[in-house]
Amino acid sequence: DDAADPVTLERLSVTGFKNYLVSPYRFWLRTILGLKAPEPVGAELDARLFGIALHEAVEVFGFEEIERLKRGEAHATDAGLIHERLVAAMSSGLDRLCGPNRGAGLRLQNRILEARLEHVAVEQAKMAVDGWRIHAVEERLDALLPIPGDTPMRVTGRIDRIDHHPDLGWRLIDFKSSDSGTTPDKAHRKSDRWIDLQLPLYRGLHAAQLPGSPDAADIATGYFLVGADPTKIKFTPSKRIDELQEDAMDTAVQVVRDIRAGHFEHLGDPPWEHDPIALVQRTQTLGAEDGG
């Protein structure tokens, strides 16, 4: 049966909001019950490790650029040199994750990621020439979401990168390695409902922590897409969801209320293929249909 008792949750990650919107029941299994599946490192990079390798590359590069600025040096604008630095950081990360001796599958995926990083380097060089500067990398989000009439919820997360432009202001960037190339608008809204609140939460809760405390409406957000299509490897800003910022924050408040009230119904999108948490949901559902 669905959990009906009130739930006490001290904090909720940005990803947790998405998990609840996708499936309240699977959120309950994963977050409230703590059901997890092993994540072994095999002979090839799965989607998770592919993303980790990408983030390793851009994270190390970002920290290096921040240090350059502190020393009064200019941001890197040579795409070839940027690519070399990205690949070196990515390779170091893979050595730590998988060891230096890689099989054929890992070597092939290594080359695929190197090729994608070449396009990332070109886009990064363009942004530097245009005046964008890397302000922060892997910025910690730890803020209170006000819940009218109730205790605020502590929301946590990590913002992949924060860039600043002297004329255009701030933008919060999340790097995405999926081949789907889904834009921020499509990733956050399906028809007329929210399926993710990541970027609106970043914008709404992190504004006060930025220098000058800019208004949330003045902060741009988006994805840096690093998928299979080289023409789409670039920063893609959010657009339609920006106009719905207030609605997104209202939805976040409602998610917290529903979780605290113990609402974990069998709702949401169909289970993801190969998702071990979804397998439990499917098994429970079939059992209920059979009268078990």
Side-chain angles (χ1 to χ4, degrees):
D1 294 336
D2 293 335
D5 296 330
V7 170
T8 300
L9 198 62
E10 294 184 356
R11 64 186 63 224
L12 185 59
S13 70
V14 170
T15 304
F17 285 89
K18 175 182 178 180
N19 291 340
Y20 186 87
L21 289 169
V22 169
S23 171
Y25 182 69
R26 262 184 290 155
F27 174 90
W28 179 61
L29 293 173
R30 186 189 302 270
T31 304
I32 306 303
L33 295 188
L35 183 62
K36 296 181 179 178
E39 297 179 330
V41 176
E44 296 185 358
L45 291 176
D46 58 18
R48 182 184 66 89
L49 288 177
F50 200 89
I52 290 176
L54 166 68
H55 281 78
E56 179 84 12
V58 297
E59 177 183 349
V60 170
F61 173 82
F63 280 126
E64 291 176 350
E65 288 299 283
I66 291 172
E67 290 302 313
R68 287 169 64 100
L69 290 178
K70 288 180 180 179
R71 295 193 299 265
E73 301 175 19
H75 245 13
T77 56
D78 185 305
L81 293 178
I82 293 174
H83 182 237
E84 290 179 7
R85 290 166 57 189
L86 288 170
V87 169
M90 179 267 292
S91 183
S92 177
L94 285 180
D95 285 346
R96 189 176 64 256
L97 286 168
C98 309
N101 300 319
R102 304 172 193 170
L106 275 174
R107 290 198 300 272
L108 174 60
Q109 289 173 309
N110 188 97
R111 289 197 293 270
I112 292 173
L113 193 47
E114 283 188 17
R116 294 189 188 185
L117 287 176
E118 187 171 358
H119 295 282
V120 172
V122 171
E123 292 301 315
Q124 173 59 40
K126 290 179 182 177
M127 290 191 292
V129 170
D130 289 342
W132 287 99
R133 298 294 178 259
I134 300 174
H135 170 76
V137 178
E138 289 293 307
E139 180 83 346
R140 183 168 179 255
L141 172 68
D142 189 343
L144 294 177
L145 174 67
I147 310 296
D150 203 347
T151 306
M153 171 60 78
R154 183 170 297 280
V155 178
T156 61
R158 292 276 180 181
I159 303 173
D160 287 347
R161 204 168 90 182
I162 301 176
D163 285 5
H164 183 260
H165 191 283
D167 299 320
L168 302 177
W170 299 94
R171 65 184 183 191
L172 313 181
I173 302 174
D174 195 68
F175 282 81
K176 298 293 186 183
S177 58
S178 171
D179 286 344
S180 66
T182 305
T183 65
D185 290 336
K186 291 183 178 179
H188 283 72
R189 297 276 295 183
K190 184 175 183 179
S191 299
D192 59 347
R193 66 184 178 92
W194 291 97
I195 55 175
D196 195 354
L197 296 172
Q198 179 191 33
L199 295 182
L201 284 170
Y202 284 171
R203 176 192 282 118
L205 296 179
H206 199 67
Q209 301 179 39
L210 292 173
S213 300
D215 291 336
D218 296 329
I219 301 173
T221 63
Y223 291 165
F224 199 124
L225 299 174
V226 191
D229 185 348
T231 65
K232 295 182 180 180
I233 297 180
K234 59 184 177 181
F235 174 72
T236 302
S238 57
K239 296 178 181 178
R240 187 166 61 92
I241 62 173
D242 294 3
E243 304 169 359
L244 301 172
Q245 177 70 24
E246 185 176 344
D247 183 70
M249 300 306 288
D250 289 343
T251 300
V253 170
Q254 188 59 49
V255 166
V256 172
R257 293 190 188 280
D258 288 344
I259 290 173
R260 287 175 171 173
H263 296 162
F264 303 112
E265 297 84 359
H266 286 272
L267 302 173
D269 295 332
W272 302 307
E273 187 178 2
H274 307 308
D275 178 3
I277 305 300
L279 178 60
V280 175
Q281 177 183 0
R282 189 179 300 114
T283 302
Q284 294 285 348
T285 302
L286 290 174
E289 291 175 352
D290 293 339

